[in-house]
Amino acid sequence: MMGYKILVYWQITEEQKQKIREIADKHGCTTCFVTNLEEAKAEAADADIMFGSNPEPLHKAKNLKWFCTHWAGVNHYLTEGVLPNESCHLSNSAGAYGVTISEHIIMTSLIMMRQFVSYEKIMNDTTAEKWGHEIPMHSLCGSRITVLGTGDIGSTFAKRVRGFEPASVVGVNRSGRMSPEYDKVCRVSELASVLPQTDLLVMSLPETPETIGILNRDMIALLPERAYLVNVGRGSAIDETALTDALNEGKLAGAALDVMQTEPVPANSPLRTAKNILLTPHCAGQMTLNYTREKSVEMFCEDLENFLNGRPLVHEVDRKRGY
């Protein structure tokens, strides 16, 4: 395990670099910190361990033994030829994003349910002789919430939304395995029976063959007309044409999308003009919250100790499952 080169190619603080250096020095490893993509490509040629996100340097890393991404999603790295070989370990930072994305979910849910956009228009109308106060609202209190995808993001949200006293918080995942954050957990195969009992559907799924198109036209039709939808997982999970139709026809109360099939959303996309749509530019899980970056580095350091001591990686990705 001695003599490995560790390449970190994203912007972290000097204090965070020092945490990585201390572990590396203890095991006789060298460290290299860069932020420029071309430098990362050059340094990757003899790197044994890499920590970053852009897949391009990976094509240069012929000796790579372990790649850790500071992203939670890993579909970019599962394409054949991105990682140098099947024996190269892959880990991610799922677990670092729960706080920031759960707060985004709550924010967008309240914006929709409390009619913020409608009231903002009233405030911006300087010609109005009086304000309207009678726009019906909905509340997280008493809502039946369904969380499709019960990983770190979904479960962190479920824990935090309890403070709003929802009627129920139901999780939906692949295994149906129960978790204490939920009143009940169902298998994905039971989704059709859960959707009609949903006031707020939160989607926090990774992109896998099983999740692509999971919320299709038939599934959307099962949601009540007063239901709201928030997607912070992957845009590929939703049939956007069907969603747009449902919104425009008044068959859904609103939808907040932080992820879309095409990003940025094209200027002529029907999503942009759909009724009661709230679009944000894939910002829920970026590194704009200091906690996220710090947690990601902590997770890498934890697994760096594991890797250099010959122990399994705690945050290793199962390539077959895709997460």
Side-chain angles (χ1 to χ4, degrees):
M1 292 291 179
M2 305 297 283
Y4 281 169
K5 176 180 175 179
I6 303 168
L7 171 61
V8 179
Y9 63 105
W10 63 299
Q11 187 67 52
I12 59 176
T13 66
E14 286 302 319
E15 183 179 353
Q16 290 163 347
K17 291 177 184 177
Q18 187 56 32
K19 290 179 181 179
I20 296 172
R21 285 193 193 100
E22 288 175 2
I23 298 171
D25 291 347
K26 185 170 60 176
H27 292 273
C29 299
T30 60
T31 53
C32 178
F33 300 93
V34 300
T35 55
N36 179 276
L37 181 58
E38 294 307 314
E39 287 184 67
K41 291 178 183 179
E43 294 290 349
D46 59 346
D48 300 287
I49 299 169
M50 292 171 61
F51 183 26
S53 61
N54 193 306
E56 290 186 39
L58 296 175
H59 296 290
K60 308 290 185 181
K62 304 304 180 185
N63 301 317
L64 192 63
K65 297 167 182 63
W66 167 36
F67 173 64
C68 175
T69 173
H70 60 71
W71 288 342
V74 295
N75 49 298
H76 296 281
Y77 314 109
L78 298 177
T79 303
E80 186 175 352
V82 175
L83 294 174
N85 53 64
E86 287 296 320
S87 63
C88 179
H89 295 275
L90 172 64
S91 66
N92 66 357
S93 295
Y97 292 90
V99 169
T100 187
I101 297 182
S102 64
E103 290 181 0
H104 180 94
I105 296 167
I106 290 172
M107 175 189 74
T108 53
S109 297
L110 290 174
I111 285 173
M112 291 190 295
M113 299 173 87
R114 294 193 61 82
Q115 301 291 345
F116 176 84
V117 174
S118 296
Y119 282 115
E120 185 181 39
K121 289 178 181 177
I122 291 172
M123 287 298 298
N124 289 336
D125 182 5
T126 58
T127 66
E129 296 184 359
K130 67 176 184 176
W131 289 340
H133 301 284
E134 304 300 324
I135 303 172
M137 293 184 181
H138 294 114
S139 177
L140 289 170
C141 180
S143 288
R144 301 166 298 175
I145 299 174
T146 298
V147 182
L148 179 53
T150 61
D152 171 63
I153 294 167
S155 294
T156 303
F157 163 74
K159 187 185 302 181
R160 280 159 170 70
V161 81
R162 286 287 183 192
F164 291 88
E165 300 180 348
S168 61
V169 183
V170 175
V172 181
N173 62 27
R174 184 178 183 178
S175 67
R177 186 168 55 248
M178 186 60 186
S179 181
E181 292 83 8
Y182 303 95
D183 297 306
K184 181 174 69 171
V185 175
C186 303
R187 293 178 182 270
V188 172
S189 58
E190 302 173 81
L191 180 61
S193 65
V194 177
L195 292 179
Q197 314 303 320
T198 299
D199 299 310
L200 172 64
L201 173 62
V202 173
M203 300 178 63
S204 56
L205 295 166
E207 184 175 295
T208 69
E210 292 79 17
T211 64
I212 293 174
I214 190 170
L215 199 71
N216 56 29
R217 187 173 295 274
D218 291 340
M219 289 295 182
I220 291 171
L222 294 174
L223 287 164
E225 289 187 0
R226 59 170 285 168
Y228 293 89
L229 163 69
V230 179
N231 186 17
V232 293
R234 286 292 179 263
S236 59
I238 297 178
D239 180 336
E240 291 181 352
T241 300
L243 175 62
T244 300
D245 290 344
L247 289 168
N248 288 337
E249 294 166 10
K251 294 179 179 177
L252 278 181
L257 307 181
D258 189 54
V259 288
M260 284 67 68
Q261 291 180 10
T262 302
E263 298 177 5
V265 180
N268 62 349
S269 170
L271 275 178
R272 288 189 175 273
T273 55
K275 291 172 59 177
N276 299 320
I277 190 83
L278 178 61
L279 302 177
T280 50
H282 206 143
C283 61
Q286 298 300 321
M287 290 291 166
T288 45
L289 191 68
N290 288 336
Y291 171 90
T292 310
R293 190 183 307 272
E294 181 64 28
K295 182 66 174 177
S296 181
V297 172
E298 285 179 9
M299 293 166 66
F300 174 71
C301 287
E302 176 188 17
D303 266 343
L304 185 58
E305 285 278 16
N306 288 330
F307 188 83
L308 296 176
N309 283 292
R311 298 191 296 262
L313 301 178
V314 173
H315 307 289
E316 183 152 17
V317 170
D318 183 327
R319 292 203 203 180
K320 289 184 179 179
R321 289 193 304 177
Y323 55 91

